[in-house]
Amino acid sequence: MPPEPCFPGTFGVRGPSTYPCPVQFFLETTRLALTNLRLRLLRSVLTALGIIFGVAAVIVMSSLGEGTKRQALERIESLGARNLIVRSQKPPESANQNQGGNQRSFVSKFGLTRDDLAVIRENFPDASAVVPLKEIGSQLLRDDRRRTSQAFGTTPELQSVANLRMARGRYLTQADMEERALVAVIGADVAEKLFPLADPLGQTIRIDRKPFLVVGVLEPIGLAGGAGAALIGRDINLDVHVPMTGARETFGDTVVRTESGSMQANETQISEIYIAVPTRERVITDAQRLRRIMSVRHEGLTDVGIIVPYELLDNARKTAMTYNLVFGAVAGISLLVGGIGIMNIMLATVTERTREIGIRRAIGATRRHILWQFLIETSALSAIGGAVGVALGIGTSVFLGWGVPRLPSVPYIGSMFPSDVTLPTHVTLWSIIISFAVATATGLIFGLYPARRAAAQDPIVALRHD
């Protein structure tokens, strides 16, 4: 037997249907709900604003959190997730002051030694690389331009261990090491500041008046002022790398700096050591072993520090997850406010349409039909608001990521922003799905009480309502 048609004229719109009851009921109710929303367009738009802005806020907040997290993780990753970094650091009590006249000078001896380097190589025989860095010089000079030196003697393996990329020229080679060549690879900011209008390759820079031939320029590394710079205590874009053999022969182990009539000399054999662990799975255990070795050789670890980017990477992920939850909770309040707004408007609508409800009950509609009519109406309002909110959230996130870096070039207000200002955003699929689902569910939940009140209306009383 064919399915029994829906009762005729329930909604006062069409006669008997050839569709099965559930399909016809849903289609008619949805069409009627959209018609009612369109007839009260301004009210519908104002009611949906809470949902629209709530969904947009969830997406924008989550995209900001995700974008910031990804930027931080990229900066930490640039240090090498499989690397362990041991750094020499000056303890407060290491300075022995010798005063004479109006000047004061002191020499500090601290940090890593070549013996430490030998012990590390002995205890980590399967490390992919063990790369030392040695600080040299106090000033960089080129013609009348001078900068505080951030030059290091090192080995060619540093390029792969520290993920350094060449913008131009080449990096240090084994031949440079064997020949003790006075060549240098400079960072992007050094090239910009010392050679603003010239090609650095083939030019000469001086480190404490010792000439070095520039053979390469590093690509810019996004560490300035960010997580990576804080981790290693300097901006790699300002680095100058020279062969370790030439650095030791030319400068020795003492670095002398003179500032404002005060001379300070630091005697450090090795400034940093990079240890490339074979696999990520061994990073934590090898880091613990390294700490034990260093604590024996440097009691209290007062003059050395150990950096484990992988640990910081894991902590950054956990912190970012916490921020995403907080951002989502704050933005979710907007959805709650939007839901309350929908409930208030629908309660007013029930009172306004009491006579209409009475007429529909009189021509055969049951309480279930009235209940579903109002529920579908609030759900449609929430779903449409959610869809608009998704579009607004995605558009705002994309605009922020694209527009904020361009603010410094905007006339009149550009000077208010630093030249490297960024606002990283990354729209996530989960934020779109969750925000839209919550928006629709909010309308359904907050529309349930007004719908039940509408369905509970006595048809006789409703017909008498003016």
Side-chain angles (χ1 to χ4, degrees):
M1 294 180 61
E4 183 180 349
C6 292
F7 46 85
T10 300
F11 301 106
V13 179
R14 294 183 181 177
S17 171
T18 57
Y19 288 97
C21 286
V23 176
Q24 179 66 13
F25 172 73
F26 178 77
L27 292 176
E28 291 288 348
T29 305
T30 302
R31 189 189 65 80
L32 186 61
L34 294 175
T35 300
N36 287 327
L37 293 177
R38 188 176 69 251
L39 291 175
R40 300 169 179 83
L41 184 59
L42 181 59
R43 176 191 295 180
S44 300
V45 171
L46 294 176
T47 304
L49 282 180
I51 296 295
I52 292 172
F53 290 128
V55 171
V58 171
I59 293 175
V60 172
M61 288 287 194
S62 64
S63 71
L64 288 173
E66 184 69 17
T68 303
K69 180 191 77 172
R70 287 173 176 255
Q71 185 183 63
L73 294 181
E74 286 174 2
R75 288 171 173 173
I76 296 173
E77 280 275 17
S78 68
L79 295 177
R82 293 190 295 112
N83 289 343
L84 306 177
I85 306 173
V86 190
R87 291 180 54 212
S88 295
Q89 57 188 21
K90 182 178 180 180
E93 67 277 7
S94 66
N96 299 317
Q97 298 187 13
N98 298 314
Q99 296 189 0
N102 294 327
Q103 287 192 332
R104 56 187 182 87
S105 63
F106 54 89
V107 178
S108 301
K109 184 176 182 180
F110 61 88
L112 297 165
T113 65
R114 282 181 279 275
D115 288 340
D116 291 329
L117 178 61
V119 169
I120 289 174
R121 282 176 171 159
E122 182 180 347
N123 282 272
F124 293 89
D126 57 346
S128 301
V130 177
V131 182
L133 284 84
K134 175 181 176 59
E135 184 180 8
I136 58 172
S138 61
Q139 284 189 330
L140 300 178
L141 302 99
R142 190 247 171 181
D143 297 334
D144 59 342
R145 301 176 185 272
R146 64 178 61 208
R147 301 287 173 183
T148 300
S149 174
Q150 194 168 287
F152 296 87
T154 187
T155 64
E157 290 81 9
L158 181 65
Q159 182 181 12
S160 60
V161 170
N163 299 321
L164 303 177
R165 298 182 180 180
M166 302 303 302
R168 303 193 60 192
R170 64 172 178 85
Y171 197 68
L172 306 177
T173 64
Q174 194 59 39
D176 295 331
M177 296 286 291
E178 294 171 357
E179 296 171 4
R180 294 177 171 80
L182 298 184
V183 296
V185 176
I186 62 177
D189 285 358
V190 175
E192 181 180 345
K193 292 174 180 178
L194 295 185
F195 301 91
L197 301 175
D199 183 1
L201 293 185
Q203 301 288 335
T204 298
I205 63 171
R206 295 180 180 274
I207 304 175
D208 286 358
R209 303 190 181 280
K210 306 295 193 303
F212 285 79
L213 179 68
V214 178
V215 295
V217 180
L218 297 175
E219 280 190 1
I221 299 174
L223 296 176
L231 290 176
I232 62 175
R234 70 176 193 277
D235 180 3
I236 294 181
N237 292 311
L238 294 171
D239 270 9
V240 174
H241 297 164
V242 305
M244 175 66 84
T245 51
R248 183 180 175 187
E249 183 178 87
T250 304
F251 296 95
D253 293 331
T254 302
V255 176
V256 180
R257 296 184 186 276
T258 303
E259 295 181 2
S260 304
S262 174
M263 185 181 71
Q264 176 179 319
N266 295 329
E267 184 177 337
T268 303
Q269 296 181 6
I270 302 291
S271 302
E272 295 178 8
I273 300 175
Y274 279 71
I275 305 167
V277 178
T279 63
R280 284 196 183 188
E281 291 72 22
R282 287 183 43 186
V283 169
I284 302 301
T285 57
D286 282 7
Q288 293 171 350
R289 182 152 56 102
L290 179 62
R291 287 190 177 100
R292 288 194 297 268
I293 294 171
M294 289 293 101
S295 63
V296 171
R297 298 186 59 82
H298 298 264
E299 185 176 357
L301 297 178
T302 56
D303 63 343
V304 297
I306 298 175
I307 302 169
V308 185
Y310 185 81
E311 290 178 349
L312 298 163
L313 195 65
D314 194 46
N315 291 337
R317 288 194 181 101
K318 293 176 182 177
T319 303
M321 184 179 297
T322 301
Y323 277 117
N324 280 340
L325 291 176
V326 172
F327 287 158
V330 172
I333 295 175
S334 298
L335 288 176
L336 179 64
V337 173
I340 294 173
I342 286 180
M343 183 171 67
N344 290 337
I345 294 299
M346 293 308 297
L347 284 172
T349 301
V350 169
T351 303
E352 181 184 288
R353 295 164 61 185
T354 300
R355 185 173 179 83
E356 174 191 336
I357 294 169
I359 294 173
R360 297 189 181 196
R361 289 294 307 277
I363 63 176
T366 65
R367 288 183 175 181
R368 180 175 66 89
H369 298 137
I370 300 299
L371 176 68
W372 278 105
Q373 175 187 342
F374 279 85
L375 277 181
I376 291 178
E377 190 168 317
T378 56
S379 298
L381 184 63
S382 300
I384 293 172
V388 175
V390 167
L392 179 62
I394 294 175
T396 302
S397 299
V398 172
F399 175 77
L400 288 175
W402 173 85
V404 170
R406 290 168 171 75
L407 287 176
S409 61
V410 177
Y412 304 111
I413 66 170
S415 59
M416 299 169 58
F417 301 93
S419 58
D420 58 348
V421 61
T422 60
L423 190 62
T425 59
H426 183 85
V427 179
T428 56
L429 180 61
W430 65 264
S431 66
I432 296 174
I433 295 174
I434 290 178
S435 60
F436 182 80
V438 170
T440 305
T442 298
L444 190 63
I445 293 171
F446 283 92
L448 185 60
Y449 177 67
R452 288 176 64 87
R453 283 198 58 179
Q457 295 276 359
D458 186 298
I460 302 301
V461 176
L463 283 170
R464 293 175 179 173
H465 191 274
D466 291 333

